Amino acid sequence: MHARMRRLLGGTLIAVAIGYLAYSLRGSGDTLLQSLRDTDGLAWTLAIAVFVPMFLVQGLYHADTLRLMDCSAAPDTRRADLSAYLQSQIVRYVPGKVWGLLYQVEASRMRHPASRVLGANLWQTAVTNLLSLGIAAALILPATGRAPAWLALLVALASLAGVEWLHRSKRPGRWYGLLLASIPLMARLRGAAPPAPRAWRGTSLLTAEWLFFAVGLCLLLWSRLPVEHMGAVVGWYAASSTFALAAVVVPAGLAVREALFVGGHDLIAGSSELLLVFAAQVRVSLLAAECLACMLATLHQRTRRHV
C-alpha cells in the first residue's frame, strides 16, 4: 500500500473512531470530569508498576522466540534482543506501525536476519492473541448470562492447552506455514523456521503477561466497579485490543481500541463515560509502563556490556 494512502486511511480510521466517541458521549462533559476526579492516584501508580513487568515478560518471550528459531545463534543475545524489541514497541506509535518492525530489524541485523525478526513477531502476535481471545471469551461469557461458569472455565483451559500444544509441537513448521499462507505478501517468510518445541516456558510467560495485564486493569477499576463486574470489563478490553489490530495503518490502534471498548457498554457493566475515562487511563498507563520497561531493558543491556 502506498505510503500516502496508508496515512490517509489511518487518519480516516482515527477520525471515525474519535467521531464515534464524541457522538456516544455528547452532553456528558460533567460526568466525564467527575469520573476523572474520582480517580485513585495510588491505584493508578500501582497499575503502571504492574504493567512494567508485563512488558518485560512480553519482551522475554520474544527474545526466547528469536533464540529458538535458530539454536545456533550466539548465547548472549537475549539482553540485546529484549532491548531492541521493547524499543521497537515504542517506535510503533509512529504512524504506519511498520516503522517499529523496521526499527527492530535494523537494531537486530548483526544478530538475526530480517526474516527471523519478522517471523518471531508474526509467531508471537498469533500465539499471544489466540490465548488472549480465549481468556477474554471466558471472562465475557458469564456476563452475558447465557453461559455457565464451567463453560467459561473450559474455554480458558482450552486456550491454554492450545497454546501449550503449539509450543510443544514437534512439527510447528506446518502450522507456521499455514499461518504465513493465510496472510498476503508473507510468502518470503516461509524460509524462516518457527520456534523449536519447548514445554511450559513459553505458555508460562504468556500466562504471566496476561496476569500482569489483568491485575493492572483491575487496579484501575478498583474504586469504580464491584469486583464481580471487573472480569467482563477486563475481557472486553482485551478483546477490543485484539480486534483493533486489524487497523494496521493506525499507530498502536490509537482511538480504534477505545471506540470498540466504549461501544460495548451494553455488554459490560459501566457507563460510556466511565469506560472512556478508564480506556484513556489504560492507554496512558500502558505507554508510561512501556517506556519504563524499555528504559530498564536498555540500561540493563548497556550496564552488562561494560561489566
Side-chain angles (χ1 to χ4, degrees):
M1 188 184 294
H2 194 276
R4 182 176 296 179
M5 184 61 70
R6 285 199 304 268
R7 288 195 294 270
L8 177 61
L9 182 56
T12 301
L13 284 172
I14 292 176
V16 169
I18 292 175
Y20 169 77
L21 290 172
Y23 177 78
S24 299
L25 299 164
R26 62 193 184 281
S28 302
D30 292 340
T31 307
L32 282 171
L33 288 174
Q34 187 58 48
S35 296
L36 282 171
R37 294 190 193 101
D38 292 340
T39 297
D40 187 331
L42 176 59
W44 197 347
T45 302
L46 290 174
I48 294 174
V50 169
F51 287 142
V52 170
M54 180 194 79
F55 286 113
L56 292 175
V57 168
Q58 183 184 103
L60 284 173
Y61 180 90
H62 188 80
D64 272 5
T65 301
L66 283 171
R67 171 70 178 159
L68 292 171
M69 289 182 81
D70 181 10
C71 295
S72 64
D76 58 347
T77 63
R78 183 172 295 167
R79 287 188 295 273
D81 291 338
L82 171 63
S83 178
Y85 174 78
L86 291 176
Q87 289 168 13
S88 74
Q89 297 306 290
I90 302 297
V91 178
R92 83 189 195 283
Y93 282 92
V94 175
K97 260 187 182 180
V98 70
W99 297 112
L101 195 53
L102 292 177
Y103 175 90
Q104 187 188 358
V105 167
E106 177 61 23
S108 306
R109 62 187 177 87
M110 300 301 293
R111 301 183 302 277
H112 309 288
S115 61
R116 191 184 306 157
V117 174
L118 294 172
N121 275 278
L122 180 61
W123 177 270
Q124 182 167 2
T125 298
V127 177
T128 298
N129 286 291
L130 174 63
L131 178 63
S132 183
L133 284 176
I135 297 179
L139 292 172
I140 295 170
L141 280 174
T144 65
R146 299 176 182 176
W150 65 264
L151 179 60
L153 179 61
L154 188 62
V155 169
L157 292 176
S159 63
L160 283 168
V163 168
E164 177 61 15
W165 182 80
L166 285 174
H167 285 139
R168 285 176 176 263
S169 175
K170 294 182 179 179
R171 295 188 62 191
R174 178 184 177 187
W175 304 106
Y176 187 74
L178 289 174
L179 177 63
L180 293 180
S182 68
I183 302 175
L185 305 179
M186 285 295 180
R188 293 182 181 180
L189 292 183
R190 294 197 180 187
R198 187 166 185 176
W200 296 117
R201 179 177 171 87
T203 305
S204 297
L205 287 172
L206 292 180
T207 304
E209 179 188 345
W210 227 100
L211 288 174
F212 283 124
F213 173 75
V215 170
L217 295 188
C218 287
L219 282 168
L220 291 174
L221 288 169
W222 190 255
S223 61
R224 303 170 185 272
L225 284 177
V227 174
E228 59 268 23
H229 295 312
M230 289 184 185
V233 175
V234 170
W236 181 243
Y237 188 86
S240 300
S241 300
T242 301
F243 297 150
L245 291 174
V248 294
V249 294
V250 178
L254 191 65
V256 177
R257 178 197 303 174
E258 287 74 15
L260 289 170
F261 179 66
V262 173
H265 63 86
D266 291 332
L267 175 66
I268 57 179
S271 63
S272 296
E273 298 82 8
L274 170 63
L275 295 182
L276 178 60
V277 170
F278 170 73
Q281 287 180 326
V282 173
R283 172 73 74 169
V284 172
S285 302
L286 289 173
L287 179 57
E290 204 162 18
C291 290
L292 287 171
C294 179
M295 290 171 58
L296 288 173
T298 303
L299 181 62
H300 179 61
Q301 179 202 0
R302 294 183 177 178
T303 301
R304 296 289 295 183
R305 184 188 300 169
H306 293 93
V307 171

